[in-house]
Amino acid sequence: MASLGENLLGIVNKLQDLVFNTIGNDSLDLPQIVVVGSQSSGKSSVLENIVGRDFLPRGSGIVTRRPLILQLINVPSDNDAPEGSEVYEPHTPASVESQGEWGEFHHIPGRQFTNFQDVKREIENETARIAGNNKGINRSPINLKIYSPHVLSLTLVDLPGLTKVPIGDQPSDIEKQTRNLISEYIAKPNSIILAVSPANVDIVNSEALKLARHVDPLGRRTIGVLTKIDLMDHGTNALDILSGRVYPLKLGFIGVVNRSQQDIQGNKTLAEALKSESDFFKHHPAYRNMANRCGTQFLAKSLNTTLMAHIRERLPDIKARLNTLMGQTQQELASYGDMHFNGKEHKGALILQLMTRFASSFISSIDGTSTEISTKELCGGARIYYIFNSVFGNSLETIDPTTNLSALDIRTAIRNSTGPRPSLFVPELAFDLLVKPQIKLLEIPSQRCVELVYEELIKICHTCGSTELTRFPRLQGKLIEVVSDLLRERLGPASSYVESLISIQRAYINTNHPNFLGAAAAMSHVVTKKQENEKKKLLQEERERREKRRQKELGATNGVDGHEEEDEISEKAEGLPHRSKMHKSGRSASPHVRQNGTSASIAERIGQRAGSEMQFSAQANPKDSFLNYFFGKDGAPGGGPGVGQAASSAQNPNLGRHVSQSAEPSITQSIRRQEERNTHRSPAQQTRDEDYAREYDYNSPFGNNTEPALTDREAMETELIRALISSYFDIVRESIADQVPKAVMHLLVNHSKDVVQNRLVSELYREDMFEELLYEDDAVKKEREKCERLLKTYREAAKIVGEVL
Ligand code: GDP
Ligand code: MG
């Protein structure tokens, strides 16, 4: 039994030593002894006696004002027996003064206090530093380790004593605060409560027992200590209490005599004190017979025994706890990665592994197969998709292809493109001239799309590091650098490809594109817009004209050709204006035209044909190109079935007249009017015409502005060109919206994905760089080393514990 006890003690010494020296905290929850009692009951004195050193501040006032966690660590003395036989050496006067002991404070790491008077002073200073100078108490503990061959490795906690009345800086609830503080320490099941009560105060008033009873109602882990036995009234003794008849505690009561205040002032040594204590019990008539169960030495032995029993009880828990700690530490260590690499091959393999992981993390982030997909924000591939569809898509959508083109710009373009000759109809060259710069508007958003994806890829490569990679900041930096270089290299080709996509679009304006509105449809588009206003206006004009003509016809010869007749019929039938009439009497029919009747009638026929051809084209084949519209596909009018689904504007091409109430009359009329002017007049005449028109154009939106007003034809042409530009621009926009993302994916994203691994290997897998790349981050290195140390400690502790059972 004794050998087992010694064995256990050795084990606890080792465990405690191991745990305290390497870890610095009591992660194993090893047993500790907590001293409780009222103010000045002699707690500090008892502790001091157990330690065998005079180092605790003591006195009559409130002295202990912060918890003092005192870790006693048994260190073998120089002349000690070899390890394994180290056991607690009970205090003897001889051993008290021996050397090889020192104290260390947690708040002053590394400093060894060999002079215990300095230890005492430091406790006082440190108490004052936190708790102030005026009696206040503070719950933050002072940690002190005492290394000595003469102590049992155990933890003792000295606590402020219980007081009833606040003094000095103490708050009004000082009693409650102290009580809570004490309870906190003694409530732990691994603490043995040393309940100190002065013998000169009735035990029934003992605060210590009251507190201990609260947390240990069965009295299993409470040792009663009766101090100041020497101060009891003459004629009284503590025999009843010491024998356990007054208050039941399984571990019993032990009487002690500590140094009195006078002894302390008289510099009575601990050795002398222990001697006189033992003399006191040996010679006292009441305690003589039980002297071997009294005094500090017996208290130390009892604590020892109790502690061992306690340890035996706690060992399974400690074992389980050790296993948990080992598991946790191992896991933590694993997160820092395996550090036991040496030799070039091993290092190379590690670098290759980290590189591969980085590359595949880069790829999987883009592909969206990464295991660490954020749910908070879009990342990786999803961001790229978002850039393509939302950012790029929207920025293309918001471009208005004609917003920067004023009516005058368009007119200038039209004029310039016709050169010295007047153009027949809407000048194709002008459309070409105008639409090309507009396509250029797509370039900025397209290039921005390339840049955004590039930036996103750069971001992705910055987030590709694994925990293990953070160990090697230089390697991580290099990996990012190489991938960034790769991406930057690809930025050029992607960007210039996109640039050429735009140039390609500008190189050839495909008016044959199936989705292109075509002149006819554009015309009808323009017309639809104008229709409402013009219809009203024309109806009004026509009414006036008809009235005039009727009056004129009354006095005219009967030389009306069949054509006119037909017109007349249709006109009457429809109640709509006829072009030939309109051109004669309309405001755009200038005096020149009226003088040149023959030309006018030829032009009229051409106009009719062109008008009907336009109708036909618009219905039967809206995809017809521009030129087809102007000059006809086969040079002959009609031939096709003049009826399309747009029945409202249906027309018989052979008759070349309108039978519908749609806007066609007004538009064909205006075409004819303009065609007439253009084909039969010199530019000079035309200009004069325009001046004339401007001067008399009641319809001019510019009125008397300094800006030259648009003629009717110009206004129509401008509208037409706008419609055509919009239509064509939509086609190009759609194509760019489709092609740019494809190009970016191919040239930038996929290419980078494909070559990243090879690039990393070729750039970084070089033997002469291994050392440099595997430079470890200091902080991580320290953490890992700490972890390794912990694990080693826990393993040893587990081994120690394992040897016992
Ligand atoms: P604490 O406040 O509980 O820590 O009490 P201390 O250990 O500071 O002791 C208070 C005072 O009582 C000090 O002056 C001690 O010298 C004195 N004292 C403590 N124990 C004894 C004892 O057993 N006998 C005598 N005569 N005085 C004691
Ligand atoms: Mg004290």
Side-chain angles (χ1 to χ4, degrees):
M1 196 59 205
S3 68
L4 178 62
E6 279 174 18
N7 194 2
L8 266 184
L9 209 49
I11 285 159
V12 172
N13 276 339
K14 276 192 219 166
L15 279 182
Q16 204 108 27
D17 187 38
L18 203 68
V19 174
F20 283 136
N21 282 319
T22 48
I23 301 164
N25 64 33
D26 195 356
S27 52
L28 281 181
D29 265 0
L30 288 170
Q32 59 182 15
I33 294 161
V34 185
V35 188
V36 293
S38 47
Q39 178 63 44
S40 290
S41 55
K43 300 180 296 297
S44 299
S45 303
V46 168
L47 276 185
E48 212 170 50
N49 275 357
I50 293 171
V51 179
R53 274 289 166 202
D54 185 354
F55 65 95
L56 290 175
R58 276 161 302 119
S60 49
I62 172 160
V63 180
T64 310
R65 297 187 286 131
R66 288 174 64 184
L68 176 75
I69 298 180
L70 188 61
Q71 295 166 2
L72 304 183
I73 296 159
N74 182 289
V75 286
S77 63
D78 297 339
N79 54 359
D80 244 2
E83 208 188 322
S85 66
E86 53 173 296
V87 285
Y88 171 65
E89 295 167 26
H91 293 113
T92 60
S95 72
V96 166
E97 302 301 329
S98 66
Q99 296 300 304
E101 302 169 295
W102 73 95
E104 255 181 62
F105 286 96
H106 185 251
H107 64 273
I108 316 175
R111 179 161 159 204
Q112 295 192 351
F113 287 77
T114 45
N115 184 337
F116 282 82
Q117 288 309 308
D118 291 345
V119 174
K120 186 187 220 160
R121 215 166 298 128
E122 183 54 37
I123 294 173
E124 284 166 353
N125 291 343
E126 181 59 18
T127 300
R129 196 172 69 83
I130 301 291
N133 283 314
N134 198 5
K135 318 267 194 275
I137 67 162
N138 190 291
R139 61 187 305 110
S140 87
I142 298 173
N143 283 279
L144 171 64
K145 291 181 193 174
I146 304 268
Y147 296 84
S148 165
H150 310 298
V151 294
L152 175 68
S153 287
L154 48 84
T155 305
L156 297 159
V157 183
D158 191 12
L159 292 171
L162 278 164
T163 55
K164 297 284 177 189
V165 185
I167 51 166
D169 282 347
Q170 293 175 350
S172 55
D173 63 341
I174 179 76
E175 188 189 350
K176 196 177 157 208
Q177 277 193 21
T178 324
R179 210 173 277 279
N180 288 345
L181 181 62
I182 295 171
S183 298
E184 201 176 286
Y185 279 89
I186 59 176
K188 291 179 187 166
N190 66 333
S191 57
I192 295 169
I193 304 164
L194 220 51
V196 178
S197 319
N200 57 353
V201 174
D202 199 328
I203 193 90
V204 296
N205 287 326
S206 169
E207 286 292 338
L209 289 174
K210 191 178 157 194
L211 269 169
R213 190 193 177 97
H214 194 68
V215 294
D216 177 32
L218 298 177
R220 273 179 172 165
R221 51 186 178 94
T222 307
I223 298 179
V225 179
L226 218 51
T227 55
K228 307 191 183 179
I229 300 241
D230 59 320
L231 296 181
M232 288 182 80
D233 273 354
H234 287 293
T236 60
N237 63 54
L239 266 185
D240 278 358
I241 298 167
L242 293 179
S243 59
R245 285 194 289 268
V246 177
Y247 189 87
L249 279 179
K250 291 218 169 63
L251 301 173
F253 280 89
I254 296 165
V256 294
V257 174
N258 299 314
R259 285 179 296 178
S260 66
Q261 194 61 28
Q262 200 183 359
D263 293 337
I264 295 163
Q265 273 150 7
N267 287 325
K268 187 174 182 177
T269 64
L270 263 176
E272 287 165 351
L274 286 173
K275 177 90 180 67
S276 54
E277 187 197 27
S278 113
D279 288 347
F280 173 86
F281 286 112
K282 270 182 196 153
H283 299 116
H284 196 283
Y287 311 112
R288 202 166 23 205
N289 292 331
M290 57 177 304
N292 60 337
R293 284 183 282 125
C294 291
T296 304
Q297 282 193 34
F298 181 71
L299 175 61
K301 270 186 207 152
S302 299
L303 267 180
N304 197 354
T305 320
T306 310
L307 203 62
M308 283 197 287
H310 199 77
I311 289 165
R312 202 175 288 125
E313 204 179 285
R314 297 266 310 143
L315 263 181
D317 285 357
I318 292 173
K319 263 183 136 178
R321 175 108 188 99
L322 268 175
N323 276 327
T324 313
L325 287 169
M326 277 194 288
Q328 285 170 351
T329 316
Q330 222 146 15
Q331 215 167 4
E332 195 186 335
L333 193 60
S335 77
Y336 297 124
D338 180 19
M339 201 48 212
H340 301 286
F341 55 84
N342 29 39
K344 289 221 181 308
E345 272 172 38
H346 204 142
K347 283 181 184 168
L350 180 66
I351 289 180
L352 211 54
Q353 189 192 28
L354 291 169
M355 239 177 222
T356 309
R357 240 179 259 172
F358 185 84
S360 53
S361 164
F362 179 72
I363 293 170
S364 64
S365 292
I366 295 171
D367 292 342
T369 53
S370 166
T371 46
E372 289 153 36
I373 285 179
S374 167
T375 52
K376 297 272 179 285
E377 52 173 9
L378 282 182
C379 59
R383 279 281 309 169
I384 294 176
Y385 179 85
Y386 174 79
I387 291 168
F388 286 156
N389 285 279
S390 298
V391 181
F392 179 55
N394 286 343
S395 66
L396 287 190
E397 274 320 304
T398 51
I399 297 175
D400 179 344
T402 59
T403 186
N404 57 347
L405 287 177
S406 72
L408 294 174
D409 288 341
I410 295 175
R411 187 178 69 179
T412 309
I414 294 169
R415 285 188 186 168
N416 285 343
S417 65
T418 55
R421 296 172 298 108
S423 74
L424 209 69
F425 290 104
V426 175
E428 189 175 19
L429 258 178
F431 167 69
D432 232 68
L433 199 70
L434 286 164
V435 82
K436 280 179 180 172
Q438 297 314 100
I439 292 172
K440 191 97 173 147
L441 292 176
L442 294 166
E443 175 136 18
I444 289 169
S446 301
Q447 293 294 4
R448 186 77 194 117
C449 174
V450 178
E451 284 164 20
L452 282 174
V453 172
Y454 165 76
E455 281 162 22
E456 194 54 42
L457 291 173
I458 293 277
K459 243 187 262 171
I460 290 173
C461 97
H462 274 91
T463 56
C464 280
S466 55
T467 338
E468 202 182 346
L469 196 54
T470 52
R471 264 171 74 199
F472 306 109
R474 291 187 190 167
L475 177 60
Q476 186 173 27
K478 277 280 178 207
L479 290 173
I480 291 172
E481 194 184 303
V482 171
V483 177
S484 301
D485 284 349
L486 170 66
L487 292 172
R488 208 173 316 116
E489 265 170 43
R490 300 308 303 167
L491 184 61
S495 167
S496 51
Y497 186 83
V498 165
E499 191 187 335
S500 46
L501 277 181
I502 308 283
S503 301
I504 285 165
Q505 291 292 348
R506 284 151 51 82
Y508 174 60
I509 304 302
N510 177 19
T511 50
N512 262 325
H513 192 281
N515 295 338
F516 186 48
L517 191 55
M523 187 69 94
S524 99
H525 169 80
V526 170
V527 162
T528 319
K529 277 172 74 181
K530 280 190 167 181
Q531 180 178 2
E532 289 307 313
N533 318 344
E534 289 213 2
K535 198 171 161 186
K536 277 183 199 162
K537 201 193 303 162
L538 286 174
L539 278 171
Q540 178 61 32
E541 283 174 3
E542 185 54 28
R543 236 169 264 135
E544 291 166 10
R545 268 179 226 129
R546 221 184 277 175
E547 192 53 42
K548 273 185 199 165
R549 193 180 52 203
R550 211 163 282 144
Q551 290 170 359
K552 201 177 170 187
E553 270 169 2
L554 288 175
T557 51
N558 241 2
V560 179
D561 65 29
H563 196 102
E564 287 239 354
E565 244 174 353
E566 279 172 10
D567 285 343
E568 197 67 45
I569 293 160
S570 105
E571 197 182 311
K572 276 172 185 163
E574 302 300 325
L576 276 173
H578 189 273
R579 357 183 162 81
S580 64
K581 309 293 178 215
M582 279 157 53
H583 105 249
K584 281 177 185 167
S585 53
R587 63 178 168 81
S588 63
S590 64
H592 308 279
V593 178
R594 267 183 232 123
Q595 285 161 15
N596 192 347
T598 320
S599 301
S601 76
I602 292 167
E604 186 181 345
R605 283 157 208 271
I606 294 169
Q608 278 171 358
R609 200 196 62 157
S612 59
E613 182 63 29
M614 183 196 83
Q615 275 299 315
F616 172 73
S617 300
Q619 288 160 22
N621 185 8
K623 293 171 186 175
D624 266 2
S625 82
F626 222 37
L627 291 175
N628 285 347
Y629 154 52
F630 284 109
F631 304 112
K633 253 178 185 168
D634 45 11
V643 183
Q645 62 266 55
S648 67
S649 61
Q651 168 200 21
N652 185 338
N654 293 323
L655 291 176
R657 77 181 54 141
H658 297 275
V659 290
S660 78
Q661 300 201 359
S662 81
E664 298 311 333
S666 70
I667 194 64
T668 36
Q669 167 213 345
S670 72
I671 284 181
R672 215 156 41 85
R673 282 203 309 254
Q674 276 131 19
E675 152 213 296
E676 215 171 71
R677 264 187 284 161
N678 287 338
T679 45
H680 302 289
R681 255 159 274 162
S682 69
Q685 278 175 321
Q686 194 181 348
T687 309
R688 258 179 280 128
D689 276 358
E690 278 164 13
D691 290 340
Y692 174 86
R694 195 153 48 237
E695 213 176 326
Y696 295 101
D697 194 352
Y698 57 84
N699 203 21
S700 166
F702 299 101
N704 287 328
N705 273 357
T706 45
E707 288 283 7
L710 292 182
T711 63
D712 217 27
R713 176 190 162 111
E714 282 170 348
M716 191 275 301
E717 277 177 346
T718 307
E719 272 306 298
L720 184 67
I721 288 225
R722 269 190 208 283
L724 290 173
I725 289 174
S726 289
S727 166
Y728 194 78
F729 192 84
D730 284 345
I731 292 165
V732 178
R733 167 161 41 207
E734 199 179 301
S735 159
I736 290 296
D738 178 56
Q739 285 176 335
V740 166
K742 286 173 180 168
V744 171
M745 278 311 280
H746 177 63
L747 295 167
L748 185 60
V749 182
N750 291 344
H751 187 279
S752 307
K753 260 166 58 182
D754 291 347
V755 306
V756 67
Q757 168 87 27
N758 278 346
R759 175 64 70 93
L760 286 174
V761 171
S762 65
E763 291 279 323
L764 298 178
Y765 190 77
R766 296 214 306 261
E767 266 188 28
D768 54 318
M769 286 172 71
F770 287 175
E771 200 65 42
E772 158 82 6
L773 290 177
L774 288 182
Y775 167 84
E776 259 200 295
D777 179 63
D778 281 343
V780 178
K781 195 175 181 173
K782 274 200 189 107
E783 278 300 308
R784 201 198 56 250
E785 280 169 4
K786 195 177 134 198
C787 232
E788 274 173 344
R789 237 181 1 251
L790 270 180
L791 193 61
K792 192 167 156 249
T793 306
Y794 290 142
R795 284 209 177 109
E796 276 174 38
K799 201 173 147 222
I800 294 167
V801 177
E803 279 168 3
V804 184
L805 299 178

